[in-house]
Amino acid sequence: MRLTSRAVITRLVFTIFLSATPAYGQTDFTNLKARSGDIVFVTRATGTTISGPLGAISPSSITVNQETIRYEPGLKIAREGDRLWNGIIIGAAIGVVMGSTVGAEACLDDPIVACAVGGAVVWGGIGALVDWLHKGRTTIFEAPRTGKPGVRLMPAIGLERKKVDLVLSF
C-alpha cells in the first residue's frame, strides 16, 4: 500500500492533535502574578482558605497574613477582581445574536449588520456594567494535583491497523 504525501501529512496532524495533553499548573512560585501587598486568597488542597495581604515570595513558599505557606499539590491562589473584558465580550456576543434575530424587526430599512453592531454595543455596555458591579476573583496560580484524573486519545496508525486507544488516568 502506497501513501501519498497528503495522507501522510493528514495522519501526522491527527496524531499531533490527538496525542496532545493539557499543560498543568506551575511547580513553584517563581512566576506568581502578584506583588507584595496584594490581597490574595489561598486555597489549599484540603479546601481551607487563607486570605490577606501577600508578604514575602520565594520559589518554595509565600507569606500571607504572617503565615508561611509552602508549595503543595492542589494549591490555588486567586486575587480579588477580574477584568471587564469578559463581561464586554459575553454581552457583545449576546447583542450580536439578539440584534440580528429579535432586533432585526426594529431596523427593516437598515442592513442586518447594523442591527448586529447596535446590539453588540448596547449589550456589551450592559455586560461591562454587570461585570464592574460583580466582584469576582482571578486565579493567578494553580499547582497540579497529584494523581489528577485525565483522558487522552492515542492514535495507533500503521500500514495494517488503524485504531485509537483511550487512556484513562486517575
Side-chain angles (χ1 to χ4, degrees):
M1 180 171 138
R2 186 163 181 227
L3 296 174
T4 63
S5 61
R6 181 177 280 172
V8 171
I9 292 171
T10 303
R11 288 181 181 188
L12 180 63
V13 167
F14 276 113
T15 302
I16 290 170
F17 282 126
L18 290 176
S19 63
T21 57
Y24 293 109
Q26 297 101 342
T27 56
D28 62 13
F29 298 118
T30 305
N31 295 322
L32 185 64
K33 296 175 186 166
R35 289 182 262 159
S36 294
D38 289 351
I39 303 297
V40 294
F41 301 86
V42 180
T43 305
R44 296 182 184 227
T46 59
T48 59
T49 301
I50 302 166
S51 63
L54 182 63
I57 304 169
S58 73
S60 61
S61 66
I62 60 171
T63 305
V64 176
N65 271 349
Q66 309 302 328
E67 183 178 343
T68 301
I69 301 168
R70 298 216 172 270
Y71 176 87
E72 62 184 44
L75 188 73
K76 184 177 176 182
I77 303 173
R79 70 171 168 225
E80 196 169 49
D82 62 349
R83 298 181 182 164
L84 289 178
W85 285 110
N86 58 351
I88 294 171
I89 290 171
I90 292 169
I94 292 171
V96 166
V97 172
M98 296 296 285
S100 60
T101 56
V102 177
E105 289 184 27
C107 47
L108 294 173
D109 299 330
D110 295 331
I112 196 78
V113 174
C115 295
V117 170
V121 169
V122 170
W123 283 89
I126 292 170
L129 179 65
V130 168
D131 202 4
W132 179 68
L133 293 172
H134 176 261
K135 301 296 180 198
R137 294 181 185 171
T138 302
T139 301
I140 58 174
F141 180 88
E142 190 167 1
R145 293 184 180 271
T146 56
K148 186 172 185 175
V151 177
R152 190 171 57 178
L153 293 173
M154 294 182 60
I157 301 172
L159 292 176
E160 296 187 17
R161 71 171 183 213
K162 295 169 188 77
K163 69 175 187 169
V164 177
D165 294 331
L166 176 65
V167 179
L168 303 173
S169 59
F170 48 92

